[in-house]
Amino acid sequence: MTPSAEPHLADPPGPILTRWWRLMETRLGVAPLPLLLIVLGLASAYVAMGKAPSDILANIAFLITGGFVCAEIGKRIPILNRLGFAAIFATFAPSYLEYAGLLPKVLVTSISDFTESSNFLYLFIASIVVGSILGMDRRSLITGFGKTFIPLILGSIVAFAVGCSTGVALGLGFKHTLFKVVAPIMAGGVGEGAIPLSIGYAHFSGQPQGEAFAEVLPPVMLGSLSAIVLAGGLNFLGRRFPKLTGEGRLQPGEETVSPAAHASVGGASSPQTLGAALLMVAVLYLLGGLTQSLFHWPGPVVMLGLAVVIKLARLAPPALEQAAYANYRFFSTCVTYPLLFAIGVAKTPWEKLIEAFNLPTLVTIFVTVVSLIATGFVTSRWVGLHPIEAAIVNATHSGQGGTGDVAILTAANRMQLMPFAQIATRIGGAITVTIVLAAFARWR
C-alpha cells in the first residue's frame, strides 16, 4: 500500500483534510483503504441480513475488495511473491475459503450468480484480445502468429512423450496416463477440454459421463496451477537474465506496441472513442458467438481472427486503435485480480483439486507441464522468438482455458501475450481433443 502524490493546489487544505486525502490515496491496487473498510462493513451487513445483491454494482465492490486484498497478501509472501503468487493466491485462496465454509454463503451466492450470468470472463478476454491486437505492431502480428506454432507443436509432442513415460514408470499405466492425466492438461480447459473429453470417453466406453469428468478435471486444474507457478518463475528468470526476454515482445528487434497505441500512454482518448472501442469489442465477441452457433467454429478464435483482419487491413482508424489499447490497459490493470477472485469462488472447486493429490499423478502432471514449457524455451531460437515469451505461450497450452490464460499471463506479467495464448489454448486444445478422442475410439 502506497500513498499517491498529493496534487498541487492553489488553496491548500487544512491538516485534517490533508490527512484524509492521504488516507484516501492509500490503496490496495486500485482500491482506496477507507472504501475497502466500508465494503467490508457493507458485506457484514448483508451477511447478517442473509441475502446480498448479485448485480454488477455489488460485485464491483465485493470483487475489487476480495481480489486486491488477496493479491496484496500474495505479493507480500517472501520468495513466493517472485513466482507470481499474487495471481495464485487471488484464485485459490477464495476457492479454499468457499470449500472450508469460511467465506459466507451469502457472498458466495452473490459472486457465483453474477459470474455465471454476466459473462464477466468473456468481457475481460475480449477486451484484452482485441485491445492487445489493435495495439500491436503490424509486423510483429504478421510474423508472430506463424512462428508460435513450431514451439507449440514440438512442445506438445515432447510433453505427451515425457508425461506418458513418467506415468508408466510411476505405475499409473499407459492408457490411464495418456487419456486421464496428460491429454486433459493440454485439452484447452474445462468447457472446451474436460467436458468434450468426458463426453467422448463416456460415449466410446460406456462409463458415466459424470465419472469421466471427475477423473479428467483435477489434471486440468493442477496442470494450470503448475503453469501459473512456472510462469511466475519465468518472469523472475527474465528479470535476472534480460537477454532471454523481450519483456512482452515476442520477437527480437520489433515493437510490440503500435504508434497509435503509444499515443494512448501519453494522451487520453475521448469518451466517445472509448465507447466506440468497447462497442467494437462487443460486436466482435457476438460475431464469434454467432459463428460458433451456426458453424461450430470456436467463437474466441473467430473473434481473434476478425481483430487480426481489422488490424492488418487498417480498418480501424488510429484513434480507435488508441482507445482499444487504452481499454486493454484498463482491464489488465483494474480487472485482473477481481476476475481471478471470482474465478476462485465460482469456477474452481477445491475438492476437485485435492482429489488428485497422490504423488504419481502430481509428478506426472508437473513433468508434463515442465516438458511443454521447456521445449518452447529451447526451440524458440529456431524461429526467432524470445525464449521467455515462447515458453510462456506454451505454458498457456496447459492452462485452464481462458481462466488459466488470465492467471498464467498475470503471474508472468505478460498480459500482452493474450492473443498468442488464445491460439495456444483454443486451437491447440481443439486439436488435442480431436486427436485424443480419435485414438480413444480405436483403443477402447
Side-chain angles (χ1 to χ4, degrees), residues 191-224:
E192 298 85 352
I195 291 177
L197 281 178
S198 64
I199 292 173
Y201 293 164
H203 175 74
F204 292 120
S205 69
Q207 179 187 22
Q209 191 261 333
E211 292 182 9
F213 182 71
E215 286 183 312
V216 300
L217 182 59
V220 172
M221 301 178 69
L222 290 171
S224 186

Side-chain angles (χ1 to χ4, degrees), residues 222-241:
L222 290 171
S224 186
L225 175 59
S226 300
I228 295 167
V229 174
L230 292 169
L234 287 168
N235 183 41
F236 176 70
L237 183 66
R239 292 200 300 267
R240 292 290 301 272
F241 302 99

